[in-house]
């Protein structure tokens, strides 16, 4: 019952925000920021992600983020056991609609597309084979192509010194094509996977994804 009440409260808050936004006649100023998302360095396929967002003088904005992969700061154990030659690129276009906005902050809904390509050498590691077995190997070549989208909600703040902070979360779908090749010394072993990252599962699969992050930016132009 408490959960239902909380969800009802959020729904009422959203509807109120939309209604308030429709009544607003405030003239907004166009601007462009450049931002980074530091926590992308801690993802399973780490990257330095940099982007830009163009805010119109209405409620829409358009953004594009680009990422390049690096070895450092990865949580993946393969980087610590002989992995090398890591290459990763990502392209993420985004469209936002601000249902509430003033000149200091705004709540928005967004749709983000994503294309990710990863190519790297792995050290001692393993991948999924069946529901009860995995393949252990000494070295292998890993590649992944990922194409998908996510629906997001978030809030963006504009600070007085022209800094921006953008926090968001959301859900989406992605089509992954994961391949392990050039495998050295493969051996099968009994395994009961409980939770593994998507890279653990070779083949073509469509999976639900969770999107979250915090972007820190700086205004480089404003009207």
């Amino acid at each position: 019952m408490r959960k239902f009440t909380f969800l009802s409260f959020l729904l009422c808050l959203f509807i109120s925000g939309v209604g308030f936004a429709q009544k607003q006649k405030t003239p907004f100023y166009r601007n462009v920021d450049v931002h980074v998302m530091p926590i992308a360095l801690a993802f399973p396929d780490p990257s330095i992600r940099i982007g830009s967002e163009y805010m119109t003088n209405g409620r829409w904005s358009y953004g594009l983020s680009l990422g390049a992969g690096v070895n450092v700061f990865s949580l993946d154990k393969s980087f610590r056991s002989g992995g090398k030659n890591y290459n990763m690129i990502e392209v993420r276009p985004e469209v936002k609609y601000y249902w509430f906005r003033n000149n200091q902050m705004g709540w928005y809904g967004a749709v983000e597309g994503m294309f990710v390509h990863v190519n790297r050498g792995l050290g001692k590691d393993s991948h999924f084979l069946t529901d009860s077995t995995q393949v252990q190997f000494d070295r292998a070549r890993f590649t992944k192509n990922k194409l998908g989208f996510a629906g997001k909600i978030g809030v963006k703040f504009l600070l007085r010194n022209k800094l921006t902070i953008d926090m968001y979360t959301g859900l989406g779908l992605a089509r992954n094509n994961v391949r392990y090749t050039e495998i050295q010394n493969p051996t099968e072993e009994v395994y009961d996977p409980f939770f593994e990252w998507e890279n653990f599962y070779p083949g073509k699969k469509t999976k639900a994804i969770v999107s979250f992050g915090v972007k820190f930016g700086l205004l480089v132009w404003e009207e």
Side-chain angles (χ1 to χ4, degrees), residues 155-214:
V155 58
K156 184 174 182 178
F157 300 93
L158 173 60
L159 307 182
R160 291 185 178 181
N161 51 2
K162 297 186 178 181
L163 297 178
T164 62
I165 301 176
D166 186 343
M167 300 179 289
Y168 64 87
T169 187
L171 297 172
L173 290 173
R175 180 70 171 174
N176 296 321
N177 184 4
V178 174
R179 298 177 59 210
Y180 288 84
T181 58
E182 302 176 22
I183 298 176
Q184 296 181 15
N185 302 324
T187 57
E188 295 183 18
E189 60 182 35
V190 176
Y191 183 65
D192 183 18
F194 173 70
F195 174 80
E196 297 285 353
W197 299 109
E198 64 188 23
N199 293 351
F200 183 66
Y201 300 92
K204 297 180 180 180
K205 293 180 175 61
T206 300
K207 299 188 67 175
I209 57 173
V210 177
S211 179
F212 63 93
V214 180

Side-chain angles (χ1 to χ4, degrees), residues 71-142:
N71 285 355
V72 296
F73 302 125
S74 174
L75 299 180
D76 194 317
K77 64 180 183 295
S78 66
F79 285 128
R80 303 192 295 272
S81 58
K84 59 181 181 179
N85 301 327
Y86 176 58
N87 295 290
M88 182 269 203
I89 59 171
E90 59 180 336
V91 181
R92 296 174 177 266
E94 182 178 48
V95 176
K96 292 180 179 178
Y97 178 79
Y98 287 82
W99 73 75
F100 169 77
R101 179 184 170 189
N102 57 36
N103 291 321
Q104 286 75 46
M105 59 89 70
W107 289 88
Y108 64 83
V111 176
E112 178 187 60
M114 64 190 72
F115 170 74
V116 180
H117 174 74
V118 182
N119 185 337
R120 72 186 184 210
L122 296 177
K124 190 174 181 63
D125 209 327
S126 60
H127 70 72
F128 178 85
L129 186 61
T130 70
D131 289 335
S132 59
T133 58
Q134 68 176 3
V135 174
Q136 188 79 32
F137 53 81
D138 290 338
R139 289 185 181 277
R141 171 62 56 182
F142 170 87

Side-chain angles (χ1 to χ4, degrees), residues 1-12:
M1 183 67 182
R2 291 181 179 178
K3 184 176 181 181
F4 177 77
T5 303
F6 179 68
L7 292 176
S8 299
F9 170 75
L10 289 180
L11 180 61
C12 291

Side-chain angles (χ1 to χ4, degrees), residues 142-157:
F142 170 87
T143 58
K144 179 176 74 172
N145 289 313
K146 181 175 183 177
L147 185 65
F149 72 94
K152 307 191 301 185
I153 59 173
V155 58
K156 184 174 182 178
F157 300 93

